[in-house]
Amino acid sequence: MKPSTELIDGHYLPSNSRNAVKMPLYLSSNYVFNSAQEAKELFQQKGVQSEENDNDHEKPAGMIYSRLEHPNLILAESRLAAYEGADAALFFESGMAAISTLFMGMLAPGDTVLHTSPLYGGTDQLLRGLLQRWGVHLMEYAPHESMEEIIARIEGMKNTPSIRMIYVETPANPTLQTVDFGQVMELKARIGRLTSRLPVTSCDNTLLGPVFQKPLQHGIDIGIYSATKFLGGHSDLIAGALVCSRDTANLLRGVRSQMGGTASPHTSWLITRSMETLELRMEASQRNAVQIVEFLKGQPQVQQLFYPGLLPADHPHHGQASGNGSLLSFELRGGQTAAFRFLDSLGLIRHAVSLGGTESMACHSATTTHSNVPAEIRQIYGVSDGLIRLSVGIEHVEDLIADLRQALKAANTGAH
Ligand SMILES: Cc1ncc(COP(=O)(O)O)c(C=O)c1O
């Protein structure tokens, strides 16, 4: 089956569910064992799935308890894994549950995370706060830094850091700055030679994936999603996902069971429903975004416009992504005052955080999603006071442009 068919028909046999066309919602916290021997065997395998049964509802393995796994979870995971071309996928109750489980599962005190910036505000806060408090060190690099500069910085440190993980977000929220996977893979190899241990590479792929970008196909070990965004797609759920190899999934599935962030039956069912239209939604909102970028280019109130599609044709981003998505940001002349006037004047476009829904949404990153990032660091990242982040939905583009036009006018004049 083609990947898009997998999202609709893959891994589900109606005869396993009383011939229901769609898998029903399995609202059960636990499952009855067929025998004491079966219970013993299931507990022996707990947290580790056999290759045969892994992520495959057509050969259902026994279930124990829905924090470990349940039929709706297995279906959602098998379809995402198939679409992404990954061995395995894991769903969580939020993007942050996925990210925190990844960190807890892969890192130990004394390890260093080498990461790009900016990252989503919540990830940034987790790394700088809890993770540092628990003895994990951070080292940042800017995507424009050359390999030699980064390696020289590592070599120049008094004690060679134990770089266990490279963590990138591309495009980054909210500046749309991109990271070159080729450079990440080279960094991994160079650090491996320097420290005698290959770091794990991970990429927050929320903004373009899985339709327009598949990091695992470029050698990245772990793909990360806030499934609240495009995978869920209707602003009616909170969820997260990881895609990775079978071994990593077995490790992280165990950590997820211990930390308790497993996606519930209801969340998994909604995600499965939403993924059927994933390609349609992401393509439609991208078409709208391209037209909105063209409109914004000509607006005098817009000082700077950020959209991956505006990068030069020979930029590495275009070699690793098949599209540019539907998230863009722009800096208004007049700083925060103009930005607030603009947001307060929007009619159709929702003034809300989050992104990737069918409806368009705009927000002021500096005072909302990235308000926990210190002001001086926000300036370095380019999260300026006039920056508006716009998530373009699938409404009629003429309605969206009309709303943007009147809000830009109001931002300029102060008239609401
Ligand atoms: C790029 C990115 N990663 C991770 C997250 C966190 O996901 P969640 O809000 O589903 O926990 C978000 C949320 O906005 C995000 O935009």
Side-chain angles (χ1 to χ4, degrees):
M1 280 195 279
K2 301 277 186 218
S4 49
T5 310
E6 290 274 7
L7 290 181
I8 297 164
D9 293 311
H11 300 266
Y12 175 61
L13 274 186
S15 56
N16 282 344
S17 299
R18 298 187 172 222
N19 283 351
V21 169
K22 295 287 171 202
M23 184 191 273
L25 176 53
Y26 282 80
L27 283 179
S28 189
S29 55
N30 46 353
Y31 290 81
V32 175
F33 304 121
N34 291 314
S35 66
Q37 183 60 26
E38 186 202 55
K40 179 181 170 185
E41 284 167 13
L42 284 171
F43 268 78
Q44 278 166 350
Q45 299 162 8
K46 193 170 53 150
V48 185
Q49 290 190 322
S50 73
E51 206 150 301
E52 202 188 340
N53 285 327
D54 196 12
N55 273 349
D56 197 345
H57 183 66
E58 289 178 19
K59 300 181 208 129
M63 306 274 159
I64 300 175
Y65 188 65
S66 292
R67 174 159 49 74
L68 313 185
E69 60 179 7
H70 52 79
N72 296 109
L73 179 75
I74 293 180
L75 181 62
E77 292 182 342
S78 45
R79 287 187 176 174
L80 176 60
Y83 186 79
E84 184 101 27
D87 284 355
L90 301 177
F91 272 105
F92 296 79
E93 270 300 302
S94 71
M96 288 313 299
I99 294 168
S100 53
T101 302
L102 171 69
F103 289 155
M104 294 302 283
M106 307 300 279
L107 300 171
D111 286 345
T112 294
V113 178
L114 176 64
H115 68 93
T116 50
S117 291
L119 297 175
Y120 164 64
T123 310
D124 191 278
Q125 214 184 345
L126 176 63
L127 283 169
R128 284 179 206 280
L130 196 64
L131 266 285
Q132 288 208 110
R133 186 145 59 78
W134 285 28
V136 170
H137 306 293
L138 305 180
M139 183 178 167
E140 252 175 276
Y141 78 96
H144 58 75
E145 267 187 276
S146 74
M147 182 66 54
E148 297 317 318
E149 281 172 316
I150 304 166
I151 295 295
R153 277 208 288 130
I154 297 170
E155 284 175 335
M157 290 166 88
K158 209 165 99 213
N159 300 315
T160 309
S162 160
I163 299 179
R164 176 71 184 124
M165 181 184 285
I166 303 177
Y167 186 101
V168 305
E169 189 176 307
T170 183
N173 177 1
T175 58
L176 285 308
Q177 173 176 261
T178 61
V179 180
D180 176 4
F181 290 145
Q183 190 195 40
V184 174
M185 295 311 292
E186 213 183 314
L187 254 180
K188 173 177 174 158
R190 293 283 293 269
I191 291 168
R193 285 202 290 277
L194 211 66
T195 64
S196 309
R197 187 162 79 152
L198 279 175
V200 173
T201 50
S202 52
C203 170
D204 187 329
N205 196 33
T206 298
L207 265 50
L208 283 186
V211 172
F212 300 126
Q213 187 169 268
K214 296 184 174 66
L216 272 55
Q217 292 185 355
H218 299 269
I220 302 293
D221 297 309
I222 301 166
I224 300 157
Y225 292 103
S226 166
T228 310
K229 312 300 189 286
F230 295 98
L231 286 165
H234 297 72
S235 304
D236 55 7
L237 63 87
I238 299 281
L242 299 176
V243 285
C244 53
S245 69
R246 191 178 309 280
D247 285 350
T248 305
N250 283 338
L251 169 81
L252 294 176
R253 198 180 283 118
V255 180
R256 178 181 67 180
S257 297
Q258 289 155 27
M259 291 184 67
T262 315
S264 70
H266 190 234
T267 302
S268 308
W269 187 93
L270 280 172
I271 288 274
T272 305
R273 179 277 323 252
S274 293
M275 286 196 302
E276 297 194 5
T277 55
L278 180 68
E279 277 194 3
L280 290 178
R281 287 184 283 103
M282 288 191 81
E283 280 162 7
S285 51
Q286 176 176 253
R287 277 195 301 278
N288 279 351
V290 168
Q291 290 195 51
I292 287 174
V293 165
E294 280 311 306
F295 163 75
L296 290 172
K297 267 187 198 166
Q299 300 307 305
Q301 298 92 337
V302 175
Q303 195 165 348
Q304 256 192 307
L305 184 54
F306 305 96
Y307 181 62
L310 298 173
L311 294 168
D314 61 350
H315 192 282
H317 161 77
H318 298 302
Q320 67 192 33
S322 61
N324 299 305
S326 51
L327 199 80
L328 54 105
S329 57
F330 50 94
E331 191 178 344
L332 288 176
R333 290 182 206 287
Q336 182 174 305
T337 310
F340 278 21
R341 277 188 200 143
F342 171 83
L343 289 169
D344 290 342
S345 306
L346 287 172
L348 175 67
I349 298 171
R350 314 279 201 281
H351 176 192
V353 293
S354 201
L355 56 102
T358 48
E359 65 287 288
S360 298
M361 290 175 274
C363 72
H364 183 247
S365 303
T367 52
T368 58
T369 54
H370 287 68
S371 56
N372 284 316
V373 180
E376 61 282 7
I377 296 180
R378 276 203 308 269
Q379 289 307 321
I380 297 170
Y381 295 166
V383 185
S384 63
D385 289 344
L387 194 77
I388 298 285
R389 188 187 77 186
L390 179 64
S391 170
V392 179
I394 61 172
E395 303 95 332
H396 199 293
V397 72
E398 285 171 19
D399 291 331
L400 296 176
I401 289 178
D403 197 27
L404 288 169
R405 183 177 281 116
Q406 64 79 24
L408 284 172
K409 198 164 158 238
N412 210 22
T413 59
H416 288 282

